Amino acid sequence: MLARLFLMSSLLIYSVSVMAQKKIPLWPDKIPNRVDSDEKEEFTNEDILWITKIQKPEIEVFLPPNRKNSGAAVLIMPGGGYAGLAYDWEGTDVAKYFNSIGVAAFVLKYRVPLSKSVENKEWVPLQDAQRAIRIIRARAAEFKVDKNSIGVMGFSAGGHLASTLGTHYNKRLPFMDDAVEKESARPDFLMLMYPVISMKAGLTHQGSHDNLIGKAADKQLTDMFSNELHVNAQTPPTFLLHATDDGAVKVENSLVFYQALKDNGVPVEMHIFPAGGHGFGLGTGNPSLAQWPSLLAEWINGLKN
């Protein structure tokens, strides 16, 4: 009996350890564009886990069972208006879905420009995003993923960051001279969910605009982060999702990015739902919206053909 109990407890410990996910710091030593401050990360959880004042950027690793592993991987960027991160709703919950279809997922806890601990604030999220995808590529064998099948997904302001990575992956933000930095930061595909795309007046989400580039940003800075202006033939294939009645981020953000991709011959698929508002995550509880994950899964499978 004791032996049986010991075996059961050992199996329980083993299963818990297998299920436990790994968190990997983006920067092993000095964090770039960081200044000392008295800020501490803040976590609040009222239905959604909300993280603000991020101090230690990292990726959380979610790997599918070996028997399901497709070799594809996704770096997920939660939204939050560049003020914080809706970490579970648009991050870890989505990662678990990807695991269910055999895709490895990595949730990015990226620094936000509002923090007192950052300088050169407009470049800090992109710097974290570039480093994250390079880490995944550098450790692809460990994660059992194909380093040429790594996409990025972003929600809302996280969609702006994902589209910034997709259009500015060659932006040189040098910091570390290590093997990771030698990897490409170009995503192999983009998935943009009710994304902020533009910083232009009348089109942008004002909160994301003000937090990232400031209320008084000049035309040069505005154009730099209006990602519809930077699409070219090398921009990765893209999946776009939006709701027509989105009252926070205008659906026109997705439309202008779609048009730019089409004009440059980049494969693109777009789904515009008539209703759903903003921030609907996986669409849980809405029979119409809840179909989008399966549409995305079919699209990802189609990329292999």
Side-chain angles (χ1 to χ4, degrees), residues 35-197:
V35 295
D36 290 336
S37 80
D38 59 357
E39 270 190 343
K40 297 185 183 302
E41 289 188 6
E42 294 184 359
F43 299 79
T44 57
N45 197 340
E46 296 177 0
D47 291 332
I48 295 176
L49 176 58
W50 181 249
I51 307 178
T52 55
K53 302 177 181 177
I54 290 91
Q55 304 296 305
K56 295 180 179 179
E58 62 189 13
I59 51 175
E60 186 169 1
V61 182
F62 292 79
L63 300 179
N66 288 335
R67 66 182 183 279
K68 279 190 170 185
N69 187 12
S70 69
V74 173
L75 175 64
I76 304 170
M77 304 170 184
Y82 283 122
L85 307 180
Y87 191 75
D88 54 354
W89 185 247
E90 296 172 345
T92 55
D93 288 356
V94 181
K96 292 167 187 174
Y97 167 74
F98 275 117
N99 282 182
S100 76
I101 60 170
V103 176
F106 304 80
V107 181
L108 177 60
K109 188 178 74 170
Y110 58 92
R111 290 171 292 164
V112 294
L114 279 186
S115 170
K116 293 192 299 183
S117 300
V118 302
E119 57 185 359
N120 300 314
K121 67 172 191 172
E122 64 270 19
W123 294 112
V124 163
L126 178 60
Q127 192 163 40
D128 287 349
Q130 286 184 347
R131 181 72 180 181
I133 195 168
R134 286 178 172 138
I135 288 173
I136 297 167
R137 280 214 166 92
R139 299 173 65 169
E142 173 189 343
F143 300 136
K144 298 181 180 179
V145 302
D146 179 353
K147 66 188 304 180
N148 297 310
S149 186
I150 301 172
V152 296
M153 168 182 270
F155 294 79
S156 192
H160 183 266
L161 178 54
S163 64
T164 303
L165 182 60
T167 53
H168 295 73
Y169 53 85
N170 279 333
K171 174 70 177 176
R172 291 295 299 147
L173 297 169
F175 180 72
M176 296 192 70
D177 183 18
D178 64 2
V180 170
E181 291 298 307
K182 293 177 173 60
E183 297 286 349
S184 171
R186 181 186 180 274
D188 294 300
F189 51 99
L190 300 176
M191 297 158 288
L192 309 178
M193 329 312 284
Y194 41 87
V196 180
I197 293 293

Side-chain angles (χ1 to χ4, degrees), residues 1 10 15 20 129 198 246 255 275 292 299:
M1 182 67 177
S10 297
S15 65
S198 186
D246 191 326
L255 298 177
W292 80 252
W299 180 77

Side-chain angles (χ1 to χ4, degrees), residues 272-287:
I272 306 294
F273 287 86
H278 187 73
F280 49 77
L282 288 169
T284 305
N286 184 315

